[in-house]
Amino acid sequence: MQGVTEERPPEAKAADARRPNGAAFQKRKAAAIGRKLSVLAFLSLPLLSVLVMDLSRRGARVFSFSGFYLATYLGAIVESYVLWGTLLYAASRRRGATRHVSAALFVLALTLSVGGQRYFHDQYNAYLNVDVSVFASNLMDSVINQLFADIRNYLIAKIPPLLVALGAVWAARKFVKPKRTRALVASGFAPVVLVGSFFVPTQHRHIQAATPDVLYMEAVGGLIRTQFGYTDQSKQLRPRVRNSLPVTLSKAQEAGKTRPNILFVILESVRSDAVCIEPGGCKRTPFSDAVVPNRYPLTQMRSLDSCTAISLAVLWSGVGPNESRDTLHSWPLIFDYAKAAGYDTAFYTSQNMMFGNARLWVKNLGVSQFVSATDLDPTADLDMGAPEKYLAPYVAEHVHTLKEPFLAVVQLSNMHFPYYVNPDGPNPFTPWTTSKAAEDNPAFFNYYQNGVYQEDRHVATILKSIRESALSDHTVILYTSDHGEAFREHYQMGHTFTVLDEEIHVPAWIDAPKGLLGEEQERNLAAARTQYRFHPDLPATILDLMNVWDDPGISKYREKMIGSSLLREHGAPRAMPLTNCAGVWSCAFENWGFMRDHMKIEARDWDSEWHCFDVASDPHELHNLGVPACGDLHGLALSTFNRIPIRVAKEQPE
């Protein structure tokens, strides 16, 4: 009948619902899609927490990424999402033993990577990356030692990501509800993704155009490769946390005795012939030359090594590089003596403290002012550090806020290879090239010399801040380099390979205003001009300037201090141990020897015999005089180092 609608049976209605164009089907389909999208969005929560942390620390820099760096950062975001999403999805199962494994991996990895980078960035103003993990190669020193040295802050950095990770697992099991087959596949795939993240390359240098968690994972991969011997750093020693023995002066500082401020400038990789040691208008470093025209030159200064870490140990403690690892990490430093004498202290450096555990070495200096590369420039180069155009004005401003008397140490690092040289100049030494080819060696040395020239402008800024201020009349300035740099004189390039003069003959001078020192001190300094002197003489001189060198309270420490004050009459020359293999930095190629006055004995691990040189008559060390010509230096070398360097020792034991 018309107007009557026939009721359709339930079977027909169900069939309609199953049709692709059925309303109920479309509704369920939309709901399923919505749920999948919700799950995908939920799985992005770990990534979002990483991004929030990253942007809160370096948001302006991240938003400035473009081109290649933007692409690598976006790639890291994808990797991060896949890593955490897979682990969290596998951990969201409600049943099965593998869910616990996935949950543990997720919580552990997220806590360590995010928390670890929070802690690392708080320490260095930059993230841990694979370069750092390879250079900080000794697991006990670089990881466990650091953890115990700062356990409270380390744990504080870990707590927020731990809570986020635990909360994410709990919420995932309530919300995600994965199907059994998909969950099983994810459970098997999750560990593969985690391990794979250790070896996916990132943009980790300078700009660090990757998310912090991805940078951390690649760094873990570098550490794993190192510990299993797949890098050449696996067995090398690096500095650990220093803890200086206590310094107590046993007599009061003499009333009315001059106690000058001390500024100690330490260059990096600058050889003696690259600067103006003698005053008088040389063009290599004219800026500093003009600021301190009345300085006392020390033309025959030698470091005892050609490695920064070892040089700092010697320059700051006064002990020899052949002392034990424990001694090098516990003997008092010039900072400790200064504080005991009532001096204010500061350490300013352009060196990147992420290089080779350097942060551990300076962690307990206890100075009132400290700045390093990543404080000045978060994108600082690992080798060269921050540009000294940032360091110089910082020092010039802050040194004036120290209480007098003060000891301020300024360490410059831009002349570490590959050398910080602005191609736009000034570059007065031509022709120059960045090529290290043998035939380009003279031009490459010009490139290096241009870097020294440019750096000198910044050194002069620091010196002027003293000499053109009220501090000038009562401040002594000491100047040297940690070591030299080779340019194929004996076929090697760079440093740490030998203790030949191109690597250890360093510039040095002392500048003191007229009348600040006594007449006898001035005479002794002037007499030291052409004397063969060594780095341990500089900390001895600093302690003498502080009037603590003769204090009975430090006599037990002076027993190992092998230098003598430049302010005093030079006694009988002392034999000095030379080595690039020490308890703060083990060498890739063994090399060592001894030097007294102008006579030197040395050998490297590819030599077949000891070499004896007279650097006075043979400054380029071209003529081996034979072991007898070096007298007791040969015996001292054997008794100190036990043998000729290792490769020869295997073939030709002595």
Side-chain angles (χ1 to χ4, degrees):
M1 296 177 58
Q2 289 185 345
V4 177
T5 302
E6 183 178 351
E7 182 70 22
R8 302 182 71 233
E11 295 81 1
K13 292 181 179 180
D16 287 344
R18 290 193 296 271
R19 291 173 185 163
N21 58 352
F25 176 86
Q26 294 297 329
K27 186 176 181 180
R28 281 200 302 275
K29 182 179 179 181
I33 293 173
R35 175 169 175 73
K36 288 180 180 179
L37 293 175
S38 298
V39 168
L40 291 174
F42 176 84
L43 295 177
S44 70
L45 291 179
L47 167 63
L48 292 176
S49 68
V50 170
L51 292 175
V52 168
M53 184 200 82
D54 194 22
L55 295 177
S56 68
R57 279 165 167 72
R58 53 169 194 162
R61 184 143 46 98
V62 170
F63 286 121
S64 71
F65 291 160
S66 61
F68 171 76
Y69 297 118
L70 177 60
T72 60
Y73 195 83
L74 293 176
I77 288 176
V78 173
E79 180 184 344
S80 179
Y81 178 80
V82 171
L83 170 63
W84 305 122
T86 303
L87 283 169
L88 187 57
Y89 189 81
S92 67
R93 292 181 63 199
R94 294 189 173 187
R95 296 180 182 83
T98 58
R99 68 188 181 126
H100 299 305
V101 175
S102 297
L105 291 175
F106 173 80
V107 171
L108 185 65
L110 189 68
T111 301
L112 290 177
S113 63
V114 178
Q117 291 292 41
R118 289 182 75 236
Y119 175 80
F120 200 88
H121 198 278
D122 289 343
Q123 298 292 313
Y124 299 101
N125 199 33
Y127 291 125
L128 174 69
N129 62 39
V130 67
D131 282 347
V132 177
S133 69
V134 168
F135 275 107
S137 57
N138 186 289
L139 183 62
M140 179 63 71
D141 285 351
S142 61
V143 179
I144 300 175
N145 198 329
Q146 173 68 32
L147 189 152
F148 282 106
D150 200 19
I151 188 66
R152 181 177 178 274
N153 290 328
Y154 186 80
L155 292 177
I156 288 174
K158 292 287 191 290
I159 290 173
L162 174 63
L163 295 177
V164 168
L166 291 173
V169 171
W170 177 84
R173 290 177 177 175
K174 296 287 186 181
F175 173 71
V176 176
K177 301 176 183 178
K179 292 184 179 180
R180 184 173 182 276
T181 301
R182 292 177 180 174
L184 285 173
V185 171
S187 297
F189 193 51
V192 176
V193 173
L194 179 62
V195 173
S197 69
F198 297 157
F199 305 102
V200 175
T202 63
Q203 201 294 312
H204 59 271
R205 289 194 174 98
H206 316 318
I207 304 299
Q208 295 194 327
T211 56
D213 55 333
V214 166
L215 287 167
Y216 186 94
M217 291 302 182
E218 189 190 13
V220 171
L223 188 60
I224 291 172
R225 295 194 302 275
T226 295
Q227 296 305 313
F228 281 95
Y230 292 108
T231 73
D232 59 3
Q233 302 289 325
S234 57
K235 297 181 180 179
Q236 294 194 15
L237 290 175
R238 294 295 180 256
R240 69 184 188 217
V241 175
R242 288 195 88 266
N243 287 292
S244 291
L245 294 167
V247 174
T248 303
L249 300 180
S250 55
K251 67 178 182 180
Q253 295 299 303
E254 299 176 42
K257 189 79 171 181
T258 301
R259 300 173 65 216
N261 303 318
I262 301 167
L263 178 71
F264 190 12
V265 178
I266 305 172
L267 307 179
E268 161 71 44
S269 300
V270 176
R271 45 194 276 160
S272 63
D273 60 0
V275 306
C276 308
I277 301 176
E278 297 267 15
C282 100
K283 72 178 246 184
R284 294 187 294 275
T285 49
F287 308 102
S288 61
D289 180 57
V291 179
V292 285
N294 300 313
R295 61 189 181 274
Y296 294 90
L298 303 166
T299 62
Q300 296 296 336
M301 179 64 68
R302 288 342 186 251
S303 63
L304 303 187
D305 58 89
S306 56
C307 168
T308 300
I310 304 174
S311 287
L312 291 185
V314 173
L315 283 167
W316 291 358
S317 71
V319 304
N322 57 308
E323 291 291 348
S324 70
R325 181 166 172 81
D326 286 343
T327 295
L328 292 170
H329 284 85
S330 63
W331 222 245
L333 306 179
I334 53 176
F335 300 101
D336 302 306
Y337 299 111
K339 285 180 287 184
Y343 273 64
D344 200 359
T345 55
F347 177 47
Y348 311 110
T349 179
S350 56
Q351 184 180 11
N352 193 323
M353 293 288 103
M354 294 191 293
F355 183 88
N357 292 9
R359 172 67 72 170
L360 300 185
W361 177 255
V362 302
K363 180 180 178 60
N364 293 328
L365 287 184
V367 294
S368 64
Q369 293 186 19
F370 172 81
V371 72
S372 66
T374 49
D375 300 314
L376 299 166
D377 176 12
T379 67
D381 184 88
L382 189 64
D383 294 301
M384 297 181 293
E388 274 136 20
K389 64 181 179 181
Y390 302 133
L391 178 68
Y394 184 95
V395 175
E397 175 184 354
H398 287 80
V399 73
H400 291 272
T401 65
L402 292 169
K403 297 177 182 178
E404 296 186 69
F406 62 75
L407 167 68
V409 177
V410 182
Q411 181 201 5
L412 300 98
S413 65
N414 281 183
M415 289 315 297
H416 190 287
F417 182 81
Y419 317 132
Y420 188 90
V421 184
N422 184 345
D424 295 327
N427 292 300
F429 297 90
T430 57
W432 60 266
T433 181
T434 58
S435 169
K436 293 179 70 177
E439 61 271 19
D440 293 328
N441 196 61
F444 185 60
F445 184 81
N446 281 341
Y447 177 74
Y448 163 83
Q449 186 69 74
N450 283 329
V452 174
Y453 180 91
Q454 292 181 12
E455 181 181 64
D456 188 58
R457 293 184 303 169
H458 306 305
V459 172
T461 296
I462 296 170
L463 301 182
K464 282 183 179 180
S465 72
I466 298 292
R467 287 291 172 250
E468 296 181 358
S469 75
L471 296 174
S472 183
D473 290 343
H474 40 285
T475 300
V476 175
I477 301 173
L478 296 89
Y479 171 103
T480 192
S481 178
D482 57 356
H483 53 75
E485 191 83 340
F487 285 86
R488 301 186 186 278
E489 287 83 358
H490 293 85
Y491 306 105
Q492 81 278 18
M493 291 284 287
H495 54 270
T496 74
F497 299 109
T498 77
V499 289
L500 295 168
D501 260 14
E502 56 266 24
E503 293 191 45
I504 70 167
H505 188 186
V506 293
W509 49 255
I510 294 177
D511 186 61
K514 192 67 176 175
L516 184 60
L517 303 178
E519 291 183 4
E520 184 179 355
Q521 291 176 322
E522 290 181 346
R523 283 197 304 271
N524 291 330
L525 260 183
R529 173 179 168 272
T530 57
Q531 293 169 357
Y532 287 85
R533 306 304 292 258
F534 299 87
H535 267 173
D537 296 335
L538 293 175
T541 304
I542 288 173
L543 268 59
D544 207 6
L545 286 166
M546 294 177 187
N547 299 317
V548 303
W549 184 240
D550 295 319
D551 193 293
I554 71 167
S555 60
K556 59 184 177 182
Y557 298 132
R558 280 191 58 180
E559 292 176 1
K560 287 186 180 293
M561 298 174 73
I562 58 178
S564 57
S565 172
L566 293 156
L567 303 179
R568 305 191 181 198
E569 187 175 355
H570 189 34
R574 184 171 183 173
M576 292 286 175
L578 311 173
T579 183
N580 283 309
C581 312
V584 292
W585 197 274
S586 56
C587 52
F589 303 103
E590 291 191 328
N591 55 96
W592 48 65
F594 257 83
M595 186 171 180
R596 180 193 290 117
D597 205 40
H598 54 88
M599 299 302 295
K600 180 197 296 183
I601 194 166
E602 63 82 32
R604 296 176 282 174
D605 70 1
W606 51 83
D607 288 330
S608 60
E609 61 181 348
W610 294 96
H611 301 133
C612 175
F613 298 110
D614 180 345
V615 300
S617 61
D618 179 24
H620 300 295
E621 294 167 301
L622 300 177
H623 307 293
N624 179 15
L625 300 176
V627 167
C630 274
D632 67 339
L633 293 183
H634 179 234
L636 286 171
L638 286 179
S639 63
T640 301
F641 302 106
N642 301 317
R643 54 182 170 80
I644 199 166
I646 190 167
R647 294 188 189 180
V648 175
K650 293 177 180 177
E651 303 165 6
Q652 185 183 330
E654 300 219 2

